[in-house]
Amino acid sequence: MAGFPVRRALVALALTLSCVGVGFTAGLAFFLGDTRTVVVASHDAVVRPTLDGYVSLRTGPLLPDFRRASGGPLGVDVLLGKTQVDSVEELAARYAFIASEPDAQIAKVRGAVVSMGVSAAVRGVGLGLVPLAVWWLLGPHRRGELFRGLGTRRGAVGGVLLLTVPILLWQPWSSDEETQESVGVWEPLDAFMAGFPVPAEAAGIEIRTTATTVQTQRLMQSAVDTYDKSKDFYDQAAVAAGELELREPTDDETVALLVSDRHDNIGMDRVARAIGDAAGASVVLDAGDDTSTGEPWEAFSLDSLNRAFDDLERFAVAGNHDHGTFVTRYLADLGWTMLDGEAVQGPGGGPIFGIDDPRSSGLGSWRDESGLSFSEVGERLADAVCEEDERVTTLLVHDANLGRGALERGCVDLVVGGHTHVQSGPDEVIGDNGAVGYTWTNGTTGGAAYAIAVGSKPRRDAEVSLITYRDGRPVGIQWVRLRTDGRFLLGDYTEITPAPAPADAHPTTARGLPGQGRR
């Protein structure tokens, strides 16, 4: 009897080791064999974990590959796929610009690897429980028959065949043909760029050189130069922004940071955040045109925007360049409140209302209607705003002209937007019912001259606005502008005094049904 507990302990130990061994082996196989497709650095990219200890970036046939030691046994291979670009030179410049603000892209790849790790662990645990399940299902009698059968010739043959299954699935003898990639030689980036200064942040980066990539040295020099200029410019601007003497809110006030027309300029995101922090902002209002085309390859811009403001209260609408539904869906998935024809609680607790620019759909749509003109959408928007039980304090649109009708009817305190890339306001508007409202247009936060603002510095002055709320109503506006030479211009804090309609005024007529906001 004394041997019975020992035998039971040995059986339990063997069963535990079997479960752990199967689970770990299966989980590791699942992890190393898994991939995730995400949008990284403006490309559809396939992310695959490795055990070579390197973070490798494979850029395709026209540009060289890069890698850097991960600092541990785990590595990751990123294979870049499709994107939209007019030239290789433009693509290299875009890489350099994104590399100067890499945190959002690093977080995205890390998130993909963590997701694969969690998935593999869950599947590994599932398979690891198989030996335990089989043990209990067989029962003592069948387990005895099984173990006695292993001592026979048939049992020995079956055991050998069972052990060969993993090898047959693995097939270590298979190999790929020799490729251009396999014959390339890895060398330090500073050696490849001999005679040209390489940023200190690039220490440890290696480049795969071949007869083709050697010809790209001049292109790489241009990209490194763009990286240096971009990082230095926005580094200095972010530090200077944190030292600006801006009006500070009182205890009963809330400050909202208004951004618009970023057009992919991720460099300005941390500058805008530094301005908001200096002013005590706790809310961000995004008036749209965060991209140039609204295509998935521009996810890097939305990732950067979200990373800069993910701890603030966030409201947004899509601009005319945020064409289609991608931008709206992507930001909503990241937790932004995408305004869509229904009042929600906004800065300071007051009602905020907004809709995407009707031109972003390409149809001029309003709820179930399509094919409407810009002015027709504005009329329906005014109807919906004026139907609200409580006066709307802020109407967030891409183009402030879209909210003109609501202002003229006296149904809103403040209409804010962008679109023109030129600052305008605050302009007072007396409504038909005697109510007082204001309109304000922010300049381009990305410093965009046209539809895209990617570059080593803004192409024109970059601007954000600070809107102060008291008791949920807007009471003041201050603008901050970053010049192309790196200097800041500060606008004076301008008080505004919106007022609802007098008690004896005729009520504003309204029609239409409230829509649905989405988050």
Side-chain angles (χ1 to χ4, degrees):
M1 295 296 295
F4 185 72
V6 175
R7 185 174 61 185
R8 175 173 289 183
L10 291 175
V11 169
L13 177 62
L15 188 59
T16 300
L17 292 176
S18 298
C19 291
V20 172
V22 171
F24 177 80
T25 304
L28 183 62
F30 283 135
F31 180 61
L32 296 178
D34 201 1
T35 62
R36 288 287 187 276
T37 300
V38 295
V39 180
V40 176
S42 78
H43 287 263
D44 296 342
V46 177
V47 178
R48 180 176 63 86
T50 66
L51 291 179
D52 62 3
Y54 284 96
V55 177
S56 302
L57 182 67
R58 293 193 282 158
T59 62
L62 298 179
L63 293 173
D65 297 338
F66 299 89
R67 74 177 186 182
R68 190 175 202 168
S70 64
L74 183 63
V76 62
D77 183 84
V78 181
L79 175 61
L80 300 184
K82 290 184 177 296
T83 188
Q84 293 184 12
V85 69
D86 293 330
S87 67
V88 176
E89 290 76 11
E90 179 184 326
L91 185 61
R94 184 193 297 169
Y95 288 160
F97 184 61
I98 295 174
S100 68
E101 305 288 337
D103 291 346
Q105 302 303 290
I106 293 173
K108 196 165 191 177
V109 173
R110 182 183 293 116
V113 174
V114 170
S115 173
M116 286 185 280
V118 171
S119 175
V122 171
R123 288 187 286 177
V125 168
L127 282 181
L129 294 175
V130 170
L132 180 62
V134 172
W135 177 265
W136 285 108
L137 287 173
L138 287 176
H141 179 67
R142 290 187 178 87
R143 288 199 299 266
E145 291 181 343
L146 177 64
F147 290 133
R148 286 192 296 273
L150 291 176
T152 67
R153 180 180 300 177
R154 180 179 297 177
V157 172
V160 171
L161 290 176
L162 187 63
L163 292 175
T164 62
V165 169
I167 298 177
L168 294 175
L169 292 175
W170 178 25
Q171 297 184 16
W173 53 83
S174 63
S175 62
D176 297 323
E177 292 185 5
E178 187 175 69
T179 63
Q180 292 294 322
E181 180 177 335
S182 64
V183 300
V185 178
W186 290 102
E187 68 172 303
L189 182 61
D190 54 358
F192 177 76
M193 301 287 289
F196 192 86
V198 174
E201 295 86 352
I205 293 180
E206 297 178 333
I207 183 172
R208 192 198 300 270
T209 59
T210 64
T212 301
T213 58
V214 169
Q215 305 303 316
T216 66
Q217 188 176 41
R218 187 172 62 179
L219 188 63
M220 291 297 303
Q221 290 174 350
S222 176
V224 169
D225 185 56
T226 298
Y227 169 88
D228 275 337
K229 290 179 179 179
S230 175
K231 193 172 189 310
D232 289 346
F233 182 89
Y234 292 111
D235 276 348
Q236 295 174 21
V239 172
E243 299 172 352
L244 295 175
E245 295 183 1
L246 302 171
R247 180 187 182 275
E248 297 182 3
T250 59
D251 291 340
D252 61 342
E253 292 178 339
T254 300
V255 175
L257 177 73
L258 173 64
V259 299
S260 68
D261 304 276
R262 292 171 55 256
H263 288 294
D264 295 323
N265 187 350
I266 60 177
M268 274 299 298
D269 290 338
R270 57 196 171 103
V271 179
R273 178 58 194 259
I275 294 171
D277 288 345
S282 58
V283 180
V284 61
L285 305 177
D286 181 1
D289 270 8
D290 289 305
T291 66
S292 61
T293 64
E295 297 292 335
W297 69 266
E298 293 172 286
F300 75 90
S301 177
L302 307 179
D303 291 331
S304 174
L305 174 72
N306 185 66
R307 187 172 180 83
F309 300 111
D310 64 351
D311 59 337
L312 301 186
E313 194 173 5
R314 297 160 290 165
F315 301 90
V317 294
N320 61 302
H321 280 281
D322 301 321
H323 192 80
T325 61
F326 169 74
V327 171
T328 300
R329 288 188 289 103
Y330 199 89
L331 287 178
D333 290 343
L334 291 174
W336 288 67
T337 299
M338 303 304 296
L339 301 174
D340 188 25
E342 180 179 314
V344 299
Q345 182 173 302
I352 184 173
F353 203 104
I355 62 168
D356 293 342
D357 192 280
R359 294 162 294 195
S360 67
S361 67
L363 298 174
S365 60
W366 169 261
R367 297 179 181 161
D368 295 333
E369 298 180 88
S370 61
L372 302 176
S373 67
F374 185 86
S375 60
E376 287 173 331
V377 175
E379 290 173 2
R380 285 156 175 74
L381 174 62
D383 291 341
V385 171
C386 293
E387 194 180 51
E388 290 293 326
D389 294 333
E390 186 178 359
R391 178 178 167 89
V392 172
T393 61
T394 306
L395 177 55
L396 177 63
V397 288
H398 177 59
D399 185 343
N401 287 322
L402 192 63
R404 189 75 185 183
L407 269 178
E408 291 175 344
R409 296 190 198 181
C411 302
V412 61
D413 285 344
L414 176 65
V415 176
V416 295
H419 181 62
T420 64
H421 295 192
V422 178
Q423 180 206 104
S424 176
D427 297 325
E428 181 183 278
V429 177
I430 308 297
D432 296 337
N433 57 2
V436 179
Y438 291 83
T439 179
W440 172 259
T441 296
N442 184 70
T444 164
T445 301
Y450 299 102
I452 193 166
V454 174
S456 59
K457 65 178 183 178
R459 301 186 180 189
R460 67 189 304 171
D461 293 352
E463 182 176 292
V464 299
S465 302
L466 300 161
I467 305 173
T468 300
Y469 292 82
R470 187 181 306 120
D471 298 324
R473 305 192 67 188
V475 295
I477 298 174
Q478 184 178 22
W479 55 264
V480 181
R481 190 176 300 155
L482 175 62
R483 304 295 304 272
T484 56
D485 61 3
R487 294 183 298 114
F488 279 96
L489 295 179
L490 305 182
D492 294 330
Y493 176 78
T494 303
E495 293 186 355
I496 58 176
T497 54
D504 58 351
H506 294 292
T508 300
T509 59
R511 66 183 187 278
L513 298 173
Q516 297 295 321
R518 63 179 179 272
R519 186 174 179 88

